[in-house]
Amino acid sequence: MADVDHGTLDISSADELIRYAVRAQLALVSETASHNAIAKAIGMARDHGTSTAGARLSHALADGSFSDGQLQKLDEVVVTLAPATTTHAGGLGSLAVCLRGLRDRESLSGRVPAGWAQEILQSPADDEVAVLTQASALLSAFLAADEIEKASRRSRAVRVVQDRYSKEVVHVVYQLITLGYAPPTPRSVEALIMLGTLGSYALDTIKRALDYALPQPLGFRIWRVITTLVMLGRRQQYAQDLRLWVKQVLTDAEELRGRSLYPGRSLDLELAIRVPRDWSPSENDWAGAVLLARANNPRATIRERGTAAMGLWQRAVAGAYTNQVAASLNPLIEEFENPGSRPDASPGMRWVATTLRYVIDQGSGVCNDWPQANEPWMQHVYAAVSYLDRQVIPDDVRSGTKALFQHSLLQNAGIYRRQAIEALVAGGWTGPVARALERFLELETESWIRIRALFALGFLQHRDRGVEKTLAAACHHAYSNFSNDPTPAQITEMHSALFAVGDCYGAAGLEESDVRRVRESIREVLAGLVLGERTLRDSLFPVSRACAYLLTFMILPRSDQHEDLAEGLLKELVRHPDRTTRELSSWALANRVDGEGAVKPLVRARV
């Protein structure tokens, strides 16, 4: 077995993930400014003298004790100093809010001068930056009103702001939702954070909007907004209303899952895992019941079932009621250890069972190291990790990068698997990670773990010719399985490959030539799936949905009045037997392209 450095990173510690990302970002600008200069620039010299600023930064790097405001300022400094070729500079503030909620309000206030708010909100927002600026203006007004109410209990300042900007709040909320529909970029993540924070002050408006958006084809991403609401909710008067609403939407989660574009993302399960223990106590753990139902659902993907089971155990460890949960998980572990239950994905099921037994035996909430698995796929993981040693990565973040890479493939707790990738993105050294994922996909043929690698590659948002070739090869590889009767794992792999292309190359702002080149590399796959009637059975609907998603976000303007490839294929999918595929295709044709064939900005789309 290869000698692999697992690192010492605790995947369940938000502060450790933030500390990794800060170290990695500082390495991006190490040749431009010293740590001492950066520490002064982000305010660490205040009240302590300039001579101690560098030491205070070193202390924060040791224990992860960065405030939200310091991380926001650090983002500003890094973006300013980063080389022009660096596309992943910044994002530390958003990562911190996603991981741990708000620790202070400094990072959200003061973005827009108060005197500008009225004018900004009256101007039409035609792009992502304008929408986020309007949301910042609203948020600044609410934060100021909140401070007034803290100083005077009789004040109704928040209500005054709600009344003054009621129409603007509704408009901005719906535009933020459409931005949240988009592939996972820093701006779409920021839109979700803005929605969650505004919900602290305009919960009724947010609830109505999210109730409408959640059942829509792209509504699977709305679960993250609700999770953000739960994490960021600070106003006591909304707590009971929010709890009852969250319980209701989770009650509907199983029905919504059947219509979801991407149930494997498990974003509804993340909400259930994040539900506060006092909302769902052990004697009436309705959130745990949602997780147990998904873990036992044979129609769910291996990723979903593993995430649900691990989440249920995580809640039990935190709430100190592990005995009863361990007993409820034993039948599931035995099922997963039986290769006959899912022969197409039996190694993946065994791995879920192995890690469940491991954390139960240890009494820990999550795996930070890995139990023994003498399987070929594990050897390929080790080979890909070793491949990172051949990449240019700063020494002080190499161990953490390798540890996070392993979590992106091996971690069965879905929240932590995604957070590992988010930390890698925020760290900025995505090129070496992309190369290692490409190497893993070259070596590995098991669908269940290729799915994880494809998701990570799409979520990294690292775009170069190597990623293009790898994603195209993955689409063709998965498509080759459709010549026969594909297994559930192969269907999910095809879905994941298409989604990874859409996530990586469907983001706003990419050059048309890049999008066209990527589409052309998989034209045969797209045409075969849409025109070849290969997705008409119920079991294959996930693939038609992934095709519609990719085409929705990779649509291009007509050329010389000739219909764009995406527009033509979406017109075919409007007649598909799957309701979700039809609805998304119809939505895309109505909201992404105008009568002249020009592509419309996403912010103009209806929810």
Side-chain angles (χ1 to χ4, degrees), residues 48 70 95 127 209 220 224 252 259 306 366 415 423 484 502 521 595:
H48 294 274
Q70 288 170 335
L95 175 69
D127 58 29
F220 74 98
R224 286 203 74 179
D252 297 335
R259 290 184 276 164
V366 65
I415 287 181
N484 299 309
S521 70

Side-chain angles (χ1 to χ4, degrees), residues 441-574:
L441 288 166
E442 289 174 359
L443 296 170
E444 185 55 58
T445 60
E446 285 281 353
S447 291
W448 71 272
I449 195 165
R450 284 178 61 86
I451 289 164
R452 299 183 182 197
L454 287 168
F455 170 75
L457 198 56
F459 205 85
L460 276 182
Q461 298 282 299
H462 183 89
R463 303 177 188 89
D464 59 23
R465 294 302 179 91
V467 171
E468 286 182 28
K469 290 177 60 177
T470 298
L471 290 179
C475 286
H476 285 280
H477 171 83
Y479 184 64
S480 67
N481 295 322
F482 275 64
S483 58
N484 299 309
D485 189 23
T487 66
Q490 289 170 338
I491 292 169
T492 305
E493 183 182 353
M494 184 78 260
H495 173 279
S496 299
L498 293 168
F499 240 94
V501 174
D503 277 347
C504 196
Y505 290 95
L510 271 66
E511 293 291 335
E512 287 185 15
S513 58
D514 293 336
V515 177
R516 194 178 304 279
R517 186 178 61 250
V518 172
R519 284 191 338 190
E520 284 300 311
S521 70
I522 57 170
R523 175 188 279 266
E524 177 188 347
V525 174
L526 293 170
L529 291 171
V530 175
L531 304 176
E533 300 185 345
R534 297 194 177 192
T535 65
L536 301 185
R537 295 202 319 266
D538 289 7
S539 62
L540 298 173
F541 286 173
V543 176
S544 67
R545 296 174 186 183
C547 286
Y549 174 83
L550 182 154
L551 296 168
T552 294
F553 290 103
M554 295 182 70
I555 196 167
L556 293 174
R558 293 175 192 163
S559 177
D560 297 327
Q561 300 304 310
H562 293 295
E563 193 172 68
D564 179 59
L565 171 67
E567 186 179 358
L569 294 178
L570 285 167
K571 287 180 177 178
E572 294 292 330
L573 290 173
V574 166

